[in-house]
Amino acid sequence: MVEDQLRARGIRDERVLAAMGKIPRHLFVEEHLRDSAYDDNALSISEGQTISQPYMVALMTELLELKGDEKVLEVGTGSGYQAAVLSELAIEVFTVERIETLALRARKTLERLNRKNVRVFVSDGSVGLPEHAPYDAIIVTAAAPHIPHEYIDQLKMNGRLVIPVGSRFSQILYKITKTPDGTTTITSTPCVFVPLIGKEGWDDEKGVYH
Ligand code: SAH
């Protein structure tokens, strides 16, 4: 997976490649999907949600530019896989999930893997997680209809936000950096994520937007 799917497609951050080589992805998928855990695609994790394709996890993680001493927020815990990868690369990881059953399962898996620097929360992450802000980096692993200002507010100066933004079924991955003058934005790649549902996201799974 690391060589064929990640390095061969241009992932260069050695720390990201090492973290993805270390975290056992098969423990984050349902038992009947274990044989497919390292395949080059997203997989279902129940509740209609998905664990992202390995390449997308690597790309988003690389864009966060983590050096090791950061405090990171992930929105959309899902299986907990992305949070586990982040836990190898940062000091402290806060991850928030709106569906309690997923959050509980992710917490269990992360405990089993002794990921002591990850904390899982159940709440609407479309408004961030203000009680633990500010963050050096925020990664949103669900599709947003727009960029919630809360994320920028909750970033430290020079902090990075990586977020897929667009319509319900197709988005563009953005990297936004908070600067003294406001923000700078880089567009990365087209992508498809499940919807961010909540106050600053979509109304429901069908993608109704208030
Ligand atoms: N990062 C995950 C995959 C994310 S799938 C992994 O590594 O497995 C996207 C997740 O975002 C889903 O579990 C979905 O329930 C969650 N989600 C959607 N809207 C949310 C919101 N407003 N707050 C928190 N989580 C949300």
mmCIF file of all heavy atoms in Angstrom, residues 34-80:
data_model
loop_
_atom_site.group_PDB
_atom_site.id
_atom_site.type_symbol
_atom_site.label_atom_id
_atom_site.label_comp_id
_atom_site.label_asym_id
_atom_site.label_seq_id
_atom_site.Cartn_x
_atom_site.Cartn_y
_atom_site.Cartn_z
ATOM 1 N N ARG A 34 -12.011 -7.249 6.093
ATOM 2 C CA ARG A 34 -10.573 -7.198 6.454
ATOM 3 C C ARG A 34 -9.641 -7.503 5.294
ATOM 4 O O ARG A 34 -8.593 -6.882 5.171
ATOM 5 C CB ARG A 34 -10.294 -8.153 7.615
ATOM 6 C CG ARG A 34 -10.922 -7.614 8.872
ATOM 7 C CD ARG A 34 -10.060 -7.714 10.085
ATOM 8 N NE ARG A 34 -10.666 -6.836 11.078
ATOM 9 C CZ ARG A 34 -10.856 -7.135 12.343
ATOM 10 N NH1 ARG A 34 -10.441 -8.292 12.804
ATOM 11 N NH2 ARG A 34 -11.431 -6.272 13.164
ATOM 12 N N ASP A 35 -10.052 -8.442 4.438
ATOM 13 C CA ASP A 35 -9.186 -8.798 3.312
ATOM 14 C C ASP A 35 -9.042 -7.637 2.324
ATOM 15 O O ASP A 35 -8.111 -7.614 1.520
ATOM 16 C CB ASP A 35 -9.764 -10.007 2.546
ATOM 17 C CG ASP A 35 -9.599 -11.283 3.347
ATOM 18 O OD1 ASP A 35 -8.853 -11.253 4.357
ATOM 19 O OD2 ASP A 35 -10.217 -12.304 2.979
ATOM 20 N N SER A 36 -9.991 -6.712 2.367
ATOM 21 C CA SER A 36 -9.943 -5.581 1.426
ATOM 22 C C SER A 36 -9.378 -4.320 2.076
ATOM 23 O O SER A 36 -9.327 -3.261 1.446
ATOM 24 C CB SER A 36 -11.356 -5.238 0.942
ATOM 25 O OG SER A 36 -12.074 -6.403 0.653
ATOM 26 N N ALA A 37 -8.947 -4.423 3.325
ATOM 27 C CA ALA A 37 -8.601 -3.218 4.094
ATOM 28 C C ALA A 37 -7.510 -2.375 3.446
ATOM 29 O O ALA A 37 -7.494 -1.154 3.598
ATOM 30 C CB ALA A 37 -8.184 -3.609 5.515
ATOM 31 N N TYR A 38 -6.583 -3.019 2.706
ATOM 32 C CA TYR A 38 -5.464 -2.260 2.129
ATOM 33 C C TYR A 38 -5.676 -1.988 0.635
ATOM 34 O O TYR A 38 -4.745 -1.553 -0.055
ATOM 35 C CB TYR A 38 -4.136 -3.000 2.394
ATOM 36 C CG TYR A 38 -3.875 -3.100 3.884
ATOM 37 C CD1 TYR A 38 -4.373 -4.169 4.625
ATOM 38 C CD2 TYR A 38 -3.197 -2.083 4.553
ATOM 39 C CE1 TYR A 38 -4.182 -4.237 6.002
ATOM 40 C CE2 TYR A 38 -2.997 -2.142 5.931
ATOM 41 C CZ TYR A 38 -3.493 -3.221 6.644
ATOM 42 O OH TYR A 38 -3.311 -3.272 8.001
ATOM 43 N N ASP A 39 -6.895 -2.235 0.152
ATOM 44 C CA ASP A 39 -7.197 -1.962 -1.259
ATOM 45 C C ASP A 39 -7.173 -0.457 -1.533
ATOM 46 O O ASP A 39 -7.310 0.359 -0.621
ATOM 47 C CB ASP A 39 -8.582 -2.524 -1.633
ATOM 48 C CG ASP A 39 -8.577 -4.050 -1.684
ATOM 49 O OD1 ASP A 39 -7.518 -4.652 -1.434
ATOM 50 O OD2 ASP A 39 -9.652 -4.625 -1.948
ATOM 51 N N ASP A 40 -7.099 -0.148 -2.824
ATOM 52 C CA ASP A 40 -6.952 1.234 -3.277
ATOM 53 C C ASP A 40 -8.313 1.937 -3.377
ATOM 54 O O ASP A 40 -8.648 2.500 -4.415
ATOM 55 C CB ASP A 40 -6.246 1.177 -4.646
ATOM 56 C CG ASP A 40 -5.818 2.538 -5.129
ATOM 57 O OD1 ASP A 40 -5.826 3.498 -4.324
ATOM 58 O OD2 ASP A 40 -5.484 2.637 -6.327
ATOM 59 N N ASN A 41 -9.121 1.862 -2.342
ATOM 60 C CA ASN A 41 -10.421 2.536 -2.384
ATOM 61 C C ASN A 41 -10.964 2.764 -0.974
ATOM 62 O O ASN A 41 -10.432 2.230 0.000
ATOM 63 C CB ASN A 41 -11.450 1.730 -3.212
ATOM 64 C CG ASN A 41 -11.421 0.255 -2.909
ATOM 65 O OD1 ASN A 41 -11.021 -0.560 -3.736
ATOM 66 N ND2 ASN A 41 -11.828 -0.103 -1.701
ATOM 67 N N ALA A 42 -12.066 3.546 -0.924
ATOM 68 C CA ALA A 42 -12.755 3.750 0.354
ATOM 69 C C ALA A 42 -13.540 2.481 0.666
ATOM 70 O O ALA A 42 -13.813 1.676 -0.218
ATOM 71 C CB ALA A 42 -13.692 4.945 0.240
ATOM 72 N N LEU A 43 -13.894 2.299 1.958
ATOM 73 C CA LEU A 43 -14.665 1.115 2.352
ATOM 74 C C LEU A 43 -15.772 1.545 3.302
ATOM 75 O O LEU A 43 -15.624 2.513 4.055
ATOM 76 C CB LEU A 43 -13.765 0.127 3.098
ATOM 77 C CG LEU A 43 -12.741 -0.659 2.301
ATOM 78 C CD1 LEU A 43 -11.825 -1.415 3.260
ATOM 79 C CD2 LEU A 43 -13.428 -1.625 1.339
ATOM 80 N N SER A 44 -16.863 0.772 3.286
ATOM 81 C CA SER A 44 -17.977 1.070 4.172
ATOM 82 C C SER A 44 -17.603 0.746 5.627
ATOM 83 O O SER A 44 -16.940 -0.252 5.898
ATOM 84 C CB SER A 44 -19.163 0.213 3.724
ATOM 85 O OG SER A 44 -20.076 0.125 4.771
ATOM 86 N N ILE A 45 -18.048 1.625 6.561
ATOM 87 C CA ILE A 45 -17.808 1.359 7.988
ATOM 88 C C ILE A 45 -19.116 1.353 8.782
ATOM 89 O O ILE A 45 -19.129 1.657 9.962
ATOM 90 C CB ILE A 45 -16.841 2.384 8.621
ATOM 91 C CG1 ILE A 45 -17.312 3.827 8.377
ATOM 92 C CG2 ILE A 45 -15.429 2.178 8.128
ATOM 93 C CD1 ILE A 45 -16.602 4.847 9.222
ATOM 94 N N SER A 46 -20.239 1.072 8.101
ATOM 95 C CA SER A 46 -21.582 1.062 8.705
ATOM 96 C C SER A 46 -22.107 2.467 8.966
ATOM 97 O O SER A 46 -21.361 3.438 8.887
ATOM 98 C CB SER A 46 -21.641 0.223 10.001
ATOM 99 O OG SER A 46 -21.208 0.987 11.105
ATOM 100 N N GLU A 47 -23.394 2.547 9.301
ATOM 101 C CA GLU A 47 -24.094 3.834 9.483
ATOM 102 C C GLU A 47 -24.034 4.671 8.205
ATOM 103 O O GLU A 47 -24.160 5.889 8.244
ATOM 104 C CB GLU A 47 -23.492 4.655 10.646
ATOM 105 C CG GLU A 47 -23.402 3.939 11.978
ATOM 106 C CD GLU A 47 -24.754 3.770 12.667
ATOM 107 O OE1 GLU A 47 -25.708 4.455 12.272
ATOM 108 O OE2 GLU A 47 -24.844 2.925 13.574
ATOM 109 N N GLY A 48 -23.805 4.006 7.064
ATOM 110 C CA GLY A 48 -23.762 4.724 5.785
ATOM 111 C C GLY A 48 -22.497 5.553 5.592
ATOM 112 O O GLY A 48 -22.416 6.378 4.690
ATOM 113 N N GLN A 49 -21.471 5.331 6.436
ATOM 114 C CA GLN A 49 -20.250 6.141 6.368
ATOM 115 C C GLN A 49 -19.107 5.323 5.772
ATOM 116 O O GLN A 49 -19.232 4.108 5.594
ATOM 117 C CB GLN A 49 -19.886 6.654 7.766
ATOM 118 C CG GLN A 49 -21.038 7.363 8.468
ATOM 119 C CD GLN A 49 -21.605 8.526 7.666
ATOM 120 O OE1 GLN A 49 -20.866 9.273 7.021
ATOM 121 N NE2 GLN A 49 -22.917 8.680 7.691
ATOM 122 N N THR A 50 -17.991 5.985 5.482
ATOM 123 C CA THR A 50 -16.873 5.284 4.844
ATOM 124 C C THR A 50 -15.530 5.659 5.474
ATOM 125 O O THR A 50 -15.390 6.759 6.021
ATOM 126 C CB THR A 50 -16.783 5.630 3.335
ATOM 127 O OG1 THR A 50 -16.757 7.054 3.198
ATOM 128 C CG2 THR A 50 -17.949 5.071 2.549
ATOM 129 N N ILE A 51 -14.589 4.745 5.404
ATOM 130 C CA ILE A 51 -13.185 5.043 5.717
ATOM 131 C C ILE A 51 -12.567 5.431 4.378
ATOM 132 O O ILE A 51 -12.760 4.742 3.377
ATOM 133 C CB ILE A 51 -12.496 3.826 6.380
ATOM 134 C CG1 ILE A 51 -11.006 4.054 6.624
ATOM 135 C CG2 ILE A 51 -12.686 2.543 5.600
ATOM 136 C CD1 ILE A 51 -10.331 2.908 7.433
ATOM 137 N N SER A 52 -11.851 6.547 4.333
ATOM 138 C CA SER A 52 -11.350 7.065 3.060
ATOM 139 C C SER A 52 -10.291 6.145 2.452
ATOM 140 O O SER A 52 -9.628 5.380 3.152
ATOM 141 C CB SER A 52 -10.720 8.445 3.260
ATOM 142 O OG SER A 52 -11.652 9.333 3.819
ATOM 143 N N GLN A 53 -10.127 6.303 1.141
ATOM 144 C CA GLN A 53 -9.065 5.609 0.398
ATOM 145 C C GLN A 53 -7.706 5.954 1.040
ATOM 146 O O GLN A 53 -7.479 7.108 1.427
ATOM 147 C CB GLN A 53 -9.132 6.143 -1.031
ATOM 148 C CG GLN A 53 -8.096 5.640 -1.978
ATOM 149 C CD GLN A 53 -8.045 6.525 -3.227
ATOM 150 O OE1 GLN A 53 -8.334 7.728 -3.180
ATOM 151 N NE2 GLN A 53 -7.668 5.938 -4.337
ATOM 152 N N PRO A 54 -6.782 4.985 1.139
ATOM 153 C CA PRO A 54 -5.482 5.279 1.751
ATOM 154 C C PRO A 54 -4.793 6.510 1.146
ATOM 155 O O PRO A 54 -4.240 7.339 1.875
ATOM 156 C CB PRO A 54 -4.666 4.004 1.476
ATOM 157 C CG PRO A 54 -5.692 2.923 1.370
ATOM 158 C CD PRO A 54 -6.903 3.559 0.755
ATOM 159 N N TYR A 55 -4.840 6.644 -0.183
ATOM 160 C CA TYR A 55 -4.171 7.778 -0.815
ATOM 161 C C TYR A 55 -4.754 9.110 -0.321
ATOM 162 O O TYR A 55 -4.015 10.074 -0.077
ATOM 163 C CB TYR A 55 -4.290 7.689 -2.350
ATOM 164 C CG TYR A 55 -3.749 8.927 -3.034
ATOM 165 C CD1 TYR A 55 -2.374 9.186 -3.037
ATOM 166 C CD2 TYR A 55 -4.608 9.835 -3.647
ATOM 167 C CE1 TYR A 55 -1.878 10.338 -3.632
ATOM 168 C CE2 TYR A 55 -4.105 10.982 -4.247
ATOM 169 C CZ TYR A 55 -2.750 11.231 -4.236
ATOM 170 O OH TYR A 55 -2.252 12.365 -4.819
ATOM 171 N N MET A 56 -6.068 9.168 -0.157
ATOM 172 C CA MET A 56 -6.695 10.416 0.297
ATOM 173 C C MET A 56 -6.283 10.736 1.739
ATOM 174 O O MET A 56 -6.018 11.894 2.076
ATOM 175 C CB MET A 56 -8.224 10.286 0.165
ATOM 176 C CG MET A 56 -8.988 11.567 0.362
ATOM 177 S SD MET A 56 -8.429 13.001 -0.623
ATOM 178 C CE MET A 56 -8.900 12.483 -2.272
ATOM 179 N N VAL A 57 -6.194 9.706 2.576
ATOM 180 C CA VAL A 57 -5.729 9.902 3.958
ATOM 181 C C VAL A 57 -4.300 10.468 3.943
ATOM 182 O O VAL A 57 -3.987 11.444 4.636
ATOM 183 C CB VAL A 57 -5.765 8.568 4.749
ATOM 184 C CG1 VAL A 57 -5.127 8.723 6.129
ATOM 185 C CG2 VAL A 57 -7.206 8.064 4.872
ATOM 186 N N ALA A 58 -3.454 9.876 3.110
ATOM 187 C CA ALA A 58 -2.054 10.310 3.039
ATOM 188 C C ALA A 58 -1.940 11.737 2.509
ATOM 189 O O ALA A 58 -1.205 12.567 3.063
ATOM 190 C CB ALA A 58 -1.265 9.353 2.143
ATOM 191 N N LEU A 59 -2.683 12.028 1.453
ATOM 192 C CA LEU A 59 -2.612 13.361 0.844
ATOM 193 C C LEU A 59 -3.057 14.431 1.832
ATOM 194 O O LEU A 59 -2.393 15.453 2.028
ATOM 195 C CB LEU A 59 -3.497 13.383 -0.414
ATOM 196 C CG LEU A 59 -3.573 14.707 -1.159
ATOM 197 C CD1 LEU A 59 -2.196 15.076 -1.719
ATOM 198 C CD2 LEU A 59 -4.595 14.633 -2.292
ATOM 199 N N MET A 60 -4.197 14.208 2.473
ATOM 200 C CA MET A 60 -4.722 15.198 3.425
ATOM 201 C C MET A 60 -3.753 15.370 4.595
ATOM 202 O O MET A 60 -3.521 16.486 5.059
ATOM 203 C CB MET A 60 -6.100 14.763 3.931
ATOM 204 C CG MET A 60 -7.159 14.803 2.837
ATOM 205 S SD MET A 60 -8.754 14.187 3.400
ATOM 206 C CE MET A 60 -9.475 15.669 4.129
ATOM 207 N N THR A 61 -3.195 14.253 5.051
ATOM 208 C CA THR A 61 -2.275 14.318 6.191
ATOM 209 C C THR A 61 -1.014 15.083 5.798
ATOM 210 O O THR A 61 -0.530 15.930 6.552
ATOM 211 C CB THR A 61 -1.917 12.892 6.660
ATOM 212 O OG1 THR A 61 -3.133 12.171 6.883
ATOM 213 C CG2 THR A 61 -1.112 12.928 7.940
ATOM 214 N N GLU A 62 -0.510 14.822 4.600
ATOM 215 C CA GLU A 62 0.692 15.526 4.139
ATOM 216 C C GLU A 62 0.440 17.034 4.071
ATOM 217 O O GLU A 62 1.302 17.834 4.442
ATOM 218 C CB GLU A 62 1.118 14.983 2.771
ATOM 219 C CG GLU A 62 2.419 15.560 2.270
ATOM 220 C CD GLU A 62 2.948 14.807 1.042
ATOM 221 O OE1 GLU A 62 2.347 14.926 -0.037
ATOM 222 O OE2 GLU A 62 3.943 14.103 1.181
ATOM 223 N N LEU A 63 -0.753 17.407 3.627
ATOM 224 C CA LEU A 63 -1.077 18.836 3.495
ATOM 225 C C LEU A 63 -1.094 19.557 4.848
ATOM 226 O O LEU A 63 -0.940 20.778 4.906
ATOM 227 C CB LEU A 63 -2.430 19.012 2.797
ATOM 228 C CG LEU A 63 -2.460 18.694 1.294
ATOM 229 C CD1 LEU A 63 -3.902 18.674 0.776
ATOM 230 C CD2 LEU A 63 -1.635 19.710 0.500
ATOM 231 N N LEU A 64 -1.270 18.805 5.925
ATOM 232 C CA LEU A 64 -1.302 19.431 7.265
ATOM 233 C C LEU A 64 0.089 19.860 7.730
ATOM 234 O O LEU A 64 0.217 20.622 8.681
ATOM 235 C CB LEU A 64 -1.896 18.463 8.290
ATOM 236 C CG LEU A 64 -3.361 18.068 8.097
ATOM 237 C CD1 LEU A 64 -3.743 17.011 9.126
ATOM 238 C CD2 LEU A 64 -4.266 19.283 8.225
ATOM 239 N N GLU A 65 1.134 19.327 7.056
ATOM 240 C CA GLU A 65 2.534 19.698 7.368
ATOM 241 C C GLU A 65 2.871 19.528 8.842
ATOM 242 O O GLU A 65 3.356 20.454 9.492
ATOM 243 C CB GLU A 65 2.790 21.156 6.974
ATOM 244 C CG GLU A 65 2.758 21.404 5.494
ATOM 245 C CD GLU A 65 3.016 22.877 5.211
ATOM 246 O OE1 GLU A 65 4.120 23.357 5.500
ATOM 247 O OE2 GLU A 65 2.089 23.542 4.720
ATOM 248 N N LEU A 66 2.617 18.357 9.385
ATOM 249 C CA LEU A 66 2.874 18.129 10.808
ATOM 250 C C LEU A 66 4.344 17.787 11.034
ATOM 251 O O LEU A 66 4.929 17.005 10.281
ATOM 252 C CB LEU A 66 1.972 17.003 11.319
ATOM 253 C CG LEU A 66 0.472 17.263 11.160
ATOM 254 C CD1 LEU A 66 -0.332 16.031 11.563
ATOM 255 C CD2 LEU A 66 0.039 18.486 11.959
ATOM 256 N N LYS A 67 4.914 18.369 12.087
ATOM 257 C CA LYS A 67 6.329 18.110 12.422
ATOM 258 C C LYS A 67 6.450 17.263 13.685
ATOM 259 O O LYS A 67 7.506 16.715 13.969
ATOM 260 C CB LYS A 67 7.067 19.436 12.631
ATOM 261 C CG LYS A 67 7.005 20.377 11.430
ATOM 262 C CD LYS A 67 7.905 19.897 10.268
ATOM 263 C CE LYS A 67 7.788 20.805 9.061
ATOM 264 N NZ LYS A 67 7.079 20.140 7.945
ATOM 265 N N GLY A 68 5.402 17.219 14.496
ATOM 266 C CA GLY A 68 5.460 16.358 15.683
ATOM 267 C C GLY A 68 4.985 17.010 16.962
ATOM 268 O O GLY A 68 4.647 16.319 17.917
ATOM 269 N N ASP A 69 4.947 18.356 16.998
ATOM 270 C CA ASP A 69 4.601 19.007 18.269
ATOM 271 C C ASP A 69 3.229 19.697 18.214
ATOM 272 O O ASP A 69 2.930 20.558 19.018
ATOM 273 C CB ASP A 69 5.688 20.019 18.646
ATOM 274 C CG ASP A 69 5.894 21.055 17.560
ATOM 275 O OD1 ASP A 69 5.249 20.955 16.482
ATOM 276 O OD2 ASP A 69 6.698 21.982 17.774
ATOM 277 N N GLU A 70 2.393 19.292 17.244
ATOM 278 C CA GLU A 70 1.139 20.011 17.034
ATOM 279 C C GLU A 70 -0.051 19.440 17.803
ATOM 280 O O GLU A 70 -0.081 18.275 18.174
ATOM 281 C CB GLU A 70 0.759 19.999 15.540
ATOM 282 C CG GLU A 70 1.704 20.737 14.625
ATOM 283 C CD GLU A 70 2.895 19.889 14.172
ATOM 284 O OE1 GLU A 70 3.038 18.746 14.639
ATOM 285 O OE2 GLU A 70 3.669 20.401 13.345
ATOM 286 N N LYS A 71 -1.032 20.321 17.941
ATOM 287 C CA LYS A 71 -2.345 19.947 18.458
ATOM 288 C C LYS A 71 -3.285 19.978 17.253
ATOM 289 O O LYS A 71 -3.398 20.998 16.586
ATOM 290 C CB LYS A 71 -2.734 21.026 19.472
ATOM 291 C CG LYS A 71 -3.861 20.702 20.348
ATOM 292 C CD LYS A 71 -3.912 21.760 21.446
ATOM 293 C CE LYS A 71 -5.311 22.292 21.564
ATOM 294 N NZ LYS A 71 -5.392 23.437 22.480
ATOM 295 N N VAL A 72 -3.921 18.835 16.979
ATOM 296 C CA VAL A 72 -4.700 18.704 15.740
ATOM 297 C C VAL A 72 -6.153 18.374 16.057
ATOM 298 O O VAL A 72 -6.437 17.590 16.970
ATOM 299 C CB VAL A 72 -4.123 17.568 14.863
ATOM 300 C CG1 VAL A 72 -4.890 17.421 13.558
ATOM 301 C CG2 VAL A 72 -2.656 17.803 14.566
ATOM 302 N N LEU A 73 -7.062 18.957 15.278
ATOM 303 C CA LEU A 73 -8.479 18.592 15.349
ATOM 304 C C LEU A 73 -8.875 17.869 14.068
ATOM 305 O O LEU A 73 -8.611 18.356 12.966
ATOM 306 C CB LEU A 73 -9.356 19.853 15.499
ATOM 307 C CG LEU A 73 -10.869 19.621 15.374
ATOM 308 C CD1 LEU A 73 -11.394 18.760 16.531
ATOM 309 C CD2 LEU A 73 -11.622 20.954 15.323
ATOM 310 N N GLU A 74 -9.526 16.704 14.224
ATOM 311 C CA GLU A 74 -10.134 16.028 13.079
ATOM 312 C C GLU A 74 -11.649 16.103 13.231
ATOM 313 O O GLU A 74 -12.174 15.786 14.294
ATOM 314 C CB GLU A 74 -9.725 14.554 13.017
ATOM 315 C CG GLU A 74 -10.402 13.853 11.836
ATOM 316 C CD GLU A 74 -10.402 12.322 11.904
ATOM 317 O OE1 GLU A 74 -10.244 11.771 13.010
ATOM 318 O OE2 GLU A 74 -10.575 11.698 10.859
ATOM 319 N N VAL A 75 -12.341 16.463 12.176
ATOM 320 C CA VAL A 75 -13.809 16.444 12.178
ATOM 321 C C VAL A 75 -14.247 15.256 11.326
ATOM 322 O O VAL A 75 -13.896 15.177 10.142
ATOM 323 C CB VAL A 75 -14.385 17.763 11.620
ATOM 324 C CG1 VAL A 75 -15.911 17.692 11.564
ATOM 325 C CG2 VAL A 75 -13.921 18.943 12.457
ATOM 326 N N GLY A 76 -15.007 14.323 11.938
ATOM 327 C CA GLY A 76 -15.440 13.117 11.223
ATOM 328 C C GLY A 76 -14.577 11.923 11.604
ATOM 329 O O GLY A 76 -13.821 11.400 10.780
ATOM 330 N N THR A 77 -14.702 11.455 12.845
ATOM 331 C CA THR A 77 -13.865 10.356 13.353
ATOM 332 C C THR A 77 -14.052 9.080 12.543
ATOM 333 O O THR A 77 -13.078 8.369 12.269
ATOM 334 C CB THR A 77 -14.232 10.028 14.823
ATOM 335 O OG1 THR A 77 -14.285 11.245 15.554
ATOM 336 C CG2 THR A 77 -13.259 9.054 15.447
ATOM 337 N N GLY A 78 -15.305 8.767 12.188
ATOM 338 C CA GLY A 78 -15.610 7.537 11.451
ATOM 339 C C GLY A 78 -15.044 6.326 12.173
ATOM 340 O O GLY A 78 -15.374 6.051 13.320
ATOM 341 N N SER A 79 -14.151 5.596 11.509
ATOM 342 C CA SER A 79 -13.546 4.390 12.095
ATOM 343 C C SER A 79 -12.452 4.713 13.110
ATOM 344 O O SER A 79 -12.051 3.854 13.883
ATOM 345 C CB SER A 79 -12.923 3.561 10.975
ATOM 346 O OG SER A 79 -11.794 4.245 10.445
ATOM 347 N N GLY A 80 -11.892 5.931 13.034
ATOM 348 C CA GLY A 80 -10.756 6.291 13.888
ATOM 349 C C GLY A 80 -9.415 6.113 13.194
ATOM 350 O O GLY A 80 -8.370 6.432 13.760
#
